Amino acid sequence: MSRPPTFTPPPGTRALTLRTSRGVFAALEAEPRHAEPRGTALLLPGYTGSKEDFIAMLVPLAEAGYRVVAVDGRGQYESEGSDRQETYVQSELGLDVLAQAAAAGTPVHLVGHSLGGQISRAAVLLDASPFASLTLISSGPAEVSSAQQRKIALLTEALGAMTMDQVWEAMVALDPPEDADLDGTALRARWLRHNPAQLVATGRQLTAEPDRVAELAAVGLPVHVVSGTTDDTWPVPLIDEMAERLGAYRTVIEGAQHSPNTDRPEETAKALAGFWDAL
């Protein structure tokens, strides 16, 4: 589970209700204070995550000249979602991203972390025209590692037999958050607001995602592949290989693991802005 440093929007950011043709999505926004934006970026979080996974990157990206909008997807944290799993199939989530991009103001630099990267890829393959570039952060070419598949299977089983609160207590017992305050308040509050149907449906996607790298490469959109130096969800050598197949710009964030956006947010923001500047 991602562990953002805070759930309180810092100075220079604001909570935003992003109204789209496909519904309303909770978002966080930051933009340059003294100049017109050089561009707009749309940031999508990963499995069990939320827009706050990018919270420490928003001001650095705005200071680099970019307007940034981080969103909770359908059924994630503060965005409402249906209790029907079929509403979370990847094509539907991809259409949500196209609507979010339109509401944010195209063209946008699309950024997806982990599951958000695979949903971003699905959106680009549906229609690449709203996007100036695609950045995949710790998001691999196909299904997650065997170890992660087992964890998702256990979580899916638990969600079918226990309440969200009971599942949270079990997860904390297995992997206690390092920050006691987040343990007692914000992380738990975020977990309880996730829709279980969304978790089950997107978990299934992560364990069965096909390799669509060739399809993405054929689109011709500029792609940036970012990861930490280690990753237990997709091995870093596999991410390296994917970047080569895409002809993508490649960045490894030293000292980061599966979530460079929370592990090393300033370094990750610098890498993203540098890629966009080069375009």
Side-chain angles (χ1 to χ4, degrees):
M1 177 179 293
S2 61
R3 292 167 181 170
T6 180
F7 280 73
T8 302
T13 69
R14 69 184 184 100
L16 174 70
T17 299
L18 192 65
R19 300 186 182 278
T20 81
S21 60
R22 290 179 60 83
V24 175
F25 297 89
L28 293 172
E29 180 185 42
E31 54 188 343
R33 294 177 60 189
H34 303 299
E36 288 295 314
R38 302 187 65 182
T40 295
L42 179 65
L43 314 181
L44 311 183
Y47 186 59
T48 76
S50 67
K51 60 192 178 302
E52 286 76 16
D53 293 348
F54 301 105
I55 201 165
M57 294 174 53
L58 300 180
V59 171
L61 288 171
E63 290 176 345
Y66 292 91
R67 173 175 171 255
V68 282
V69 179
V71 297
D72 289 334
R74 177 194 300 256
Q76 282 184 319
Y77 190 28
E78 295 181 320
S79 290
E80 296 297 324
S82 166
D83 293 332
R84 295 182 296 113
Q85 292 181 31
E86 59 267 27
T87 63
Y88 301 101
V89 297
Q90 194 182 75
S91 58
E92 289 297 310
L93 299 180
L95 289 171
D96 285 350
V97 175
L98 294 174
Q100 292 160 4
T106 58
V108 300
H109 296 289
L110 184 59
V111 179
H113 171 240
S114 193
L115 170 70
Q118 296 198 332
I119 294 171
S120 296
R121 181 173 72 178
V124 168
L125 292 176
L126 285 170
D127 182 4
S129 63
F131 306 113
S133 71
L134 171 64
T135 296
L136 304 173
I137 300 178
S138 300
S139 188
E143 76 279 1
V144 296
S145 68
S146 296
Q148 291 299 318
Q149 290 187 42
R150 289 192 291 272
K151 288 183 179 180
I152 291 171
L154 287 172
L155 176 59
T156 299
E157 183 178 353
L159 289 169
M162 303 162 66
T163 67
M164 289 290 282
D165 201 19
Q166 290 171 332
V167 175
W168 171 258
E169 294 302 326
M171 291 193 302
V172 168
L174 291 171
D175 185 19
E178 297 174 4
D179 188 308
D181 178 63
L182 286 179
D183 179 12
T185 55
L187 285 177
R188 178 177 178 275
R190 176 176 69 175
W191 169 258
L192 293 176
R193 292 189 68 175
H194 280 304
N195 191 297
Q198 186 265 347
L199 292 169
V200 172
T202 56
R204 186 182 303 116
Q205 291 170 32
L206 285 169
T207 62
E209 177 74 3
D211 188 320
R212 306 185 72 186
V213 174
E215 293 176 69
L216 180 59
V219 172
L221 191 70
V223 178
H224 185 193
V225 172
V226 179
S227 76
T229 50
T230 62
D231 196 310
D232 61 0
T233 304
W234 288 277
V236 171
L238 186 65
I239 295 175
D240 291 335
E241 179 188 30
M242 179 186 72
E244 288 188 18
R245 292 170 61 196
L246 288 170
Y249 188 76
R250 178 76 171 100
T251 299
V252 176
I253 305 296
E254 293 296 326
Q257 299 183 40
H258 181 62
S259 299
N261 39 309
T262 58
D263 294 343
R264 296 289 186 272
E266 292 189 3
E267 294 87 341
T268 305
K270 182 178 180 181
L272 265 60
F275 171 65
W276 300 332
D277 288 346
L279 298 178

